[in-house]
Amino acid sequence: MMRKTLIIPALLIGAAGMLVGALPASAATSGGTPMTVEVGGGALSITVPGGPVDLGSVPAGVSAQTVSAPLGQVTVTDNRAGTAGWTTTVGATDFTGPQSITVSTPGSVTYTAPAATVTGTANVANSSQDHLFPDAVVQTATGVSGPNTAAWNPTLAVRVPAGALAGTYSSTITHSVA
């Protein structure tokens, strides 16, 4: 006669009559390990056209004349990666040459700021100016969230006064962002 041996693994029968695998006598968990990640913010900066910009020429005349041209691309880069907005201002020195052409009288020099092309999250509002002294706001960013950029190409127009002397006139335009 042949004998059969039945091997039964160690199982427990639960209260509901189901077989349940054996559990260790005790299990332990740690209280957890805190983790952090840091995202570093960068700088708020502005770039402007690098070389001299020729706004054009007008013939000498007995009447006031206006000459205008695009300045070139101005770009604000906000890598602070926060929620603070920013404001761009512009100012200029009086034109010097054979005589002076002021930039502080309304209508003497205009800065037409078109809407900026924006990347990232920021609502940027433009503001044109009819004089460049004292410094005046030309772009304002609100609703900022994280890194963003804004770029625009303003047009400058200079009113050359009646009877201006022939020659080359020079000024320096300055943009700033804060």
Side-chain angles (χ1 to χ4, degrees), residues 7 25 56 62 66 101 119 131 153-154 162 169 178:
I7 301 173
V62 294
T66 301
I101 299 175
T119 60
H131 61 283
N153 186 356
Y169 293 80

Side-chain angles (χ1 to χ4, degrees), residues 78-101:
D78 182 359
N79 283 326
R80 298 173 297 171
T83 57
W86 49 262
T87 301
T88 300
T89 57
V90 65
T93 59
D94 285 342
F95 282 85
T96 58
Q99 64 192 72
S100 180
I101 299 175

Side-chain angles (χ1 to χ4, degrees), residues 73-76 86 114-119 124 139 149-153:
Q73 184 167 298
V74 177
T75 304
V76 170
W86 49 262
T117 301
V118 178
T119 60
V124 180
Q139 299 282 359
T149 64
W152 65 96
N153 186 356

Side-chain angles (χ1 to χ4, degrees), residues 11-122:
L11 296 174
L12 298 176
I13 297 180
M18 297 176 61
L19 293 175
V20 179
L23 296 175
S26 67
T29 14
S30 73
T33 302
M35 298 188 319
T36 61
V37 174
E38 291 183 35
V39 177
L44 176 64
S45 62
I46 190 165
T47 56
V48 297
V53 176
D54 184 353
L55 299 178
S57 62
V58 294
V62 294
S63 300
Q65 303 175 68
T66 301
V67 62
S68 68
L71 176 66
Q73 184 167 298
V74 177
T75 304
V76 170
T77 303
D78 182 359
N79 283 326
R80 298 173 297 171
T83 57
W86 49 262
T87 301
T88 300
T89 57
V90 65
T93 59
D94 285 342
F95 282 85
T96 58
Q99 64 192 72
S100 180
I101 299 175
T102 185
V103 298
S104 59
T105 304
S108 58
V109 177
T110 59
Y111 182 105
T112 304
T117 301
V118 178
T119 60
T121 302

